Amino acid sequence: MKFIIVGGTSGIGLATARMAVEAGHSVVAAGRDPEKFAAAQSIGASTAQLDAGDPAACSRLFSAAGPFDHLVLCPSGSAGAGPFRNLALDDLRKGFEGKFWPQLTCAQAALQTLKAGGSITFVGAISSRAQKPGTSGLAAINAALEAMVPILASELRPTRVNAIVPGVVDTPWWSRVSEAARKDLFEQLAREVAVGRIGTPEDLASGILFLAANTFVTGTILDCDGGWKLKNA
């Protein structure tokens, strides 16, 4: 099987690329920053530079890659967080431009070469339903992605469309927080979830590969959040 993983050069995307290669699949890891390509190349993935928000660039990538079986969409960003009273709406727009629009742009462009019966897996975030103060903007971005999944699964059949929803996962997304603050935050959040720990990129990668491989799963939102929803139960 051939995978194209957009955002496949770091974090959850890179972990997914590694697991897919180890399982014997062919992987193209696409990303914006060529300085990150070495990590994907070292595990046996091929790499391609891509601005996932550029429709023409996406079309060129998928046309050049040729027919493939599974698309994994990991583009993300940190813009759009903060208390609503003080939230700069331009920052929220940047949040949509960093995650929502790149994922949809790639998904649409991929349809020209994605094999019928293949799969598309979006990567959301538990902020869509966490109901945590200060995350209304992030909730809007990720809930918008989730809302489209069952409709696309019906519309694009037999292509399967799913989404995986991470909880708190130790990835470069958190690099904007100082190491000391991140350590304290992770310890606090680990105590709040049922499994008692923060997630790893590999936790999400195994879920993504399940969604890609299981041909009886479509229109599904798979929470991989350590039991976040149970934290107040």
Side-chain angles (χ1 to χ4, degrees):
M1 296 288 184
K2 182 175 181 179
F3 282 73
I4 295 180
I5 304 175
V6 180
T9 59
S10 67
I12 293 169
L14 180 61
T16 304
R18 180 183 297 109
M19 283 191 181
V21 169
E22 290 173 350
H25 302 298
S26 169
V27 175
V28 177
R32 185 191 295 268
D33 186 358
E35 292 186 1
K36 297 180 179 179
F37 287 2
Q41 292 166 353
S42 71
I43 61 171
S46 60
T47 53
Q49 188 171 11
L50 176 68
D51 177 355
D54 181 341
C58 291
S59 182
R60 288 192 297 269
L61 170 72
F62 291 110
S63 179
F68 71 106
D69 304 280
H70 302 293
L71 176 65
V72 180
L73 296 165
C74 302
S76 189
S78 58
F84 181 73
R85 185 181 298 275
N86 308 113
L87 180 62
L89 296 186
D90 282 345
D91 192 52
L92 178 54
R93 290 187 181 92
K94 290 178 183 176
F96 273 91
E97 293 291 343
K99 183 167 188 175
F100 178 80
W101 288 114
Q103 292 204 23
L104 289 194
T105 299
C106 286
Q108 189 177 64
L111 296 177
Q112 61 183 311
T113 51
L114 180 62
K115 294 178 183 177
S119 75
I120 300 172
T121 303
F122 294 92
V123 178
I126 200 61
S127 55
S128 61
R129 283 167 282 123
Q131 300 179 5
K132 189 174 180 63
T135 65
S136 61
L138 300 180
I141 296 165
N142 289 290
L145 280 175
E146 285 188 29
M148 295 187 72
V149 167
I151 300 168
L152 292 178
S154 180
E155 181 179 330
L156 299 177
R157 65 179 74 179
T159 296
R160 295 178 298 106
V161 182
N162 297 293
I164 193 164
V165 176
V168 179
V169 180
D170 188 1
T171 70
W173 190 88
W174 292 95
S175 61
R176 69 193 192 283
V177 180
S178 71
E179 185 175 351
R182 187 165 65 247
K183 181 176 182 294
D184 290 343
L185 178 61
F186 282 179
E187 289 176 353
Q188 173 192 332
L189 293 173
R191 291 191 295 268
E192 293 183 5
V193 295
V195 300
R197 67 174 176 85
I198 294 303
T200 68
E202 289 72 24
D203 292 325
L204 275 297
S206 63
I208 290 168
L209 290 186
F210 162 75
L211 291 173
N214 193 313
T215 59
F216 206 53
V217 177
T218 192
T220 293
I221 310 296
L222 176 63
D223 290 344
C224 189
D225 62 1
W228 179 271
K229 297 174 296 302
L230 309 174
K231 67 189 185 72
N232 293 320

